[in-house]
RNA sequence: GCCUCGGUAGCUCAGCUGGUAGAGCAAGGGACUGAAAAUCCCUGUGUCGGUGGUUCGACUCCACUCUGAGGCA
């Protein structure tokens, strides 16, 4: 008997992960761990398509509503720590953990040894270099060329966030990012208590986009605007991390009078399509994912059945 | 029925006096190590409505034809 398995359902937004995961959790007697960078925030329900109490049908959900939108410093590291704790907790109760989500980096944090450099985010340093970049494009990248030429070569000068982070690591640890080796996706994480088993949900692009369109309309009808107003009224900064989420950013912009409602709605749809495309790109390179076409299978229940038999097969080593 | 103006990329359109096409938007592909629903990089995807003709050569000129909009009757 090898390591315990850690089961995953991944896929782009609006691909039906929530419905399938709940069906599947019922069959497996599993508890769900969300891998979604927006569902972690309390009060961000409609825009993040967070499953409501009734929709969860009694299945325990972890890593949902674990942070305040006013928080400035939520990060993958925190996600990783808490999620791994949840995994351990679930296993200790002889239940099965099922990770469900579309945030690729969060998923990778659970299946790879992402031994993040011990350089915590430095708000001051980030502000400094963001300013420098605003004044003169490329200045952060020039600085990085001195500190860590190899990373500078790998990163595009316009990719300011990564360039600044690389500087942060050098200045915070005296160590370069490139010295750590960048091939973590090649290694399995021996330190993880579980072996990952991944199922991906997909469907023809056209169909996915139609679902996104419908879903955004639903969010708007269910009161996304009011939700965003509430967040802003409660003191959440429009520039905060949480408010960069899809739908939230555009709605806040509309509320602040920077664009019309229709314009905001169209923008949310377009940006969500692009996001879904990026998610697909991210997950495509993970060759361990077994893909399930939910449309071809004929819906969430059938997909849950198919994934259940796949998981069972893997578990029994067939 | 006659006249006029259109028919070029998924959409809106550009293409000067002939040298097999280009912008915006949409879209596609990719990257991703403490911001990741973030951030960034790359890419034109086309029987130029159809058929003939003139020409070394036609999206461009001519004829016919199909089709859309408007005008006159």
């Amino acid at each position: 008997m090898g390591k315990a398995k850690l089961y995953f359902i991944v896929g782009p937004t609006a691909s039906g992960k929530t419905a399938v995961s709940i069906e599947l959790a019922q069959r497996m007697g599993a508890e769900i761990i969300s891998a979604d960078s927006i569902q972690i925030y309390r009060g961000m329900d409609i825009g993040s398509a967070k499953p409501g109490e009734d929709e969860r049908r009694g299945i325990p959900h972890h890593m949902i509503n674990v942070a305040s939108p006013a928080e400035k410093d939520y990060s993958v590291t925190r996600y990783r720590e808490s999620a791994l704790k949840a995994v351990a907790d679930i296993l200790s109760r002889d239940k099965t953990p099922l990770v469900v989500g579309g945030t690729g980096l969060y998923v990778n944090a659970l299946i790879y040894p992402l031994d993040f450099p011990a350089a915590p985010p430095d708000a001051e340093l980030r502000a400094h270099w963001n300013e420098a970049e605003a004044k003169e494009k490329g200045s952060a990248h020039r600085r990085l060329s001195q500190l860590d030429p190899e990373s500078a070569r790998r990163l595009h000068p316009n990719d300011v966030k990564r360039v600044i982070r690389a500087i942060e690591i050098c200045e915070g640890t005296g160590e370069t990012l490139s010295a750590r080796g960048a091939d973590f996706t090649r290694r399995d994480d021996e330190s993880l208590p579980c072996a990952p088993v991944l199922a991906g949900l997909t469907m023809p692009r056209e169909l996915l986009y139609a679902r996104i369109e419908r879903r955004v309309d639903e969010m708007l009808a269910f009161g996304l605007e009011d939700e965003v107003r509430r967040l802003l009224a409660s003191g959440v900064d429009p520039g905060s991390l949480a408010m960069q989420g899809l739908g939230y950013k555009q709605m806040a912009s509309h509320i602040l009078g920077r664009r019309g409602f229709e314009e905001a709605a169209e923008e949310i749809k377009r940006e969500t399509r692009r996001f879904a495309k990026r998610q697909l790109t991210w997950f495509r390179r993970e060759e361990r994912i077994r893909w399930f076409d939910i449309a071809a299978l004929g819906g969430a229940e059938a997909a849950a059945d198919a994934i259940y038999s796949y998981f069972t097969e893997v578990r029994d080593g067939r």
Side-chain angles (χ1 to χ4, degrees):
Chain A
M1 176 88 191
K3 273 185 183 180
K5 306 288 189 224
L6 184 54
Y7 300 97
F8 287 80
I9 297 181
V10 302
T13 185
S15 59
K17 292 188 296 293
T18 299
V20 172
S21 68
I22 286 157
E23 289 282 342
L24 189 56
Q26 288 184 321
R27 287 168 179 62
M28 298 170 71
E31 296 189 11
I32 289 173
I33 299 172
S34 162
D36 184 303
S37 64
I38 301 296
Q39 290 185 0
I40 58 168
Y41 293 114
R42 286 182 287 274
M44 297 178 68
D45 304 336
I46 297 171
S48 72
K50 199 181 285 174
E53 278 302 328
D54 46 332
E55 198 180 353
R56 296 183 208 173
R57 284 193 250 160
I59 307 288
H61 278 63
H62 301 77
M63 301 312 292
I64 279 182
N65 298 330
V66 295
S68 155
E71 253 177 276
K72 270 269 160 205
D73 60 343
Y74 200 89
S75 69
V76 211
T77 314
R78 267 179 70 185
Y79 174 79
R80 185 181 207 230
E81 281 167 13
S82 325
L84 288 178
K85 253 181 228 160
V87 171
D89 169 57
I90 293 166
L91 289 173
S92 77
R93 287 182 283 106
D94 277 325
K95 304 277 270 184
T96 305
L98 174 62
V99 182
V100 180
T103 302
L105 185 62
Y106 285 14
V107 170
N108 274 12
L110 301 180
I111 64 179
Y112 289 112
L114 292 183
D115 47 348
F116 295 106
D122 181 337
E124 215 170 294
L125 179 145
R126 290 181 180 191
H128 169 81
W129 285 109
N130 277 316
E131 249 170 71
E133 273 294 317
K135 271 203 210 95
E136 198 193 341
K137 275 194 109 182
S139 49
H141 192 258
R142 268 195 301 283
R143 174 66 179 145
L144 185 62
S145 300
Q146 299 167 347
L147 293 169
D148 180 359
E150 200 180 323
S151 293
R153 229 172 295 125
R154 192 175 57 85
L155 294 172
H156 193 282
N158 290 349
D159 200 352
V160 177
K161 285 192 181 188
R162 288 204 174 74
V163 170
I164 293 179
R165 173 62 188 154
I167 294 175
E168 194 171 65
I169 289 166
C170 292
E171 301 205 330
T173 65
E175 198 184 352
T176 63
L177 176 60
S178 50
R180 306 181 63 86
D183 61 338
F184 65 91
T185 53
R186 300 268 154 238
R187 297 170 287 169
D188 280 325
D189 191 347
E190 297 304 325
S191 67
L192 277 174
C194 306
V197 182
L198 300 126
L201 247 35
T202 187
M203 69 181 73
R205 193 69 63 93
E206 237 176 63
L207 195 60
L208 182 65
Y209 285 2
R211 284 176 60 120
I212 287 172
E213 166 110 21
R214 201 176 60 217
R215 180 138 96 152
V216 172
D217 284 335
E218 277 168 15
M219 287 177 179
L220 294 168
F222 291 161
L224 178 61
E225 184 172 352
D226 286 342
E227 180 168 284
V228 176
R229 278 184 197 282
R230 265 198 306 281
L231 289 164
L232 294 175
S234 73
V236 177
D237 189 288
S240 69
L241 202 50
M243 286 306 261
Q244 299 317 300
L246 269 169
Y248 293 95
K249 183 157 73 179
Q250 295 80 3
M251 220 52 234
S253 183
H254 165 245
I255 290 165
L256 298 173
R258 286 201 274 266
R259 36 167 90 37
F261 183 84
E262 273 311 313
E263 191 189 347
E266 283 314 308
E267 207 175 312
I268 294 171
K269 289 173 185 172
R270 173 175 29 100
E271 291 308 320
T272 305
R273 284 194 296 270
R274 290 177 175 171
F275 172 52
K277 190 165 87 72
R278 270 179 272 135
Q279 288 177 300
L280 286 167
T281 299
W282 180 288
F283 290 124
R284 246 188 313 244
R285 77 172 168 181
E286 175 53 63
E287 69 282 353
R288 286 177 292 182
I289 295 175
R290 169 75 68 93
W291 290 97
F292 295 85
D293 186 328
I294 184 170
L297 288 164
E301 248 178 83
D305 284 336
I307 294 172
Y308 182 64
S309 34
Y310 170 58
F311 283 173
T312 309
E313 243 172 66
V314 173
R315 186 197 60 204
D316 300 341
R318 270 181 283 154

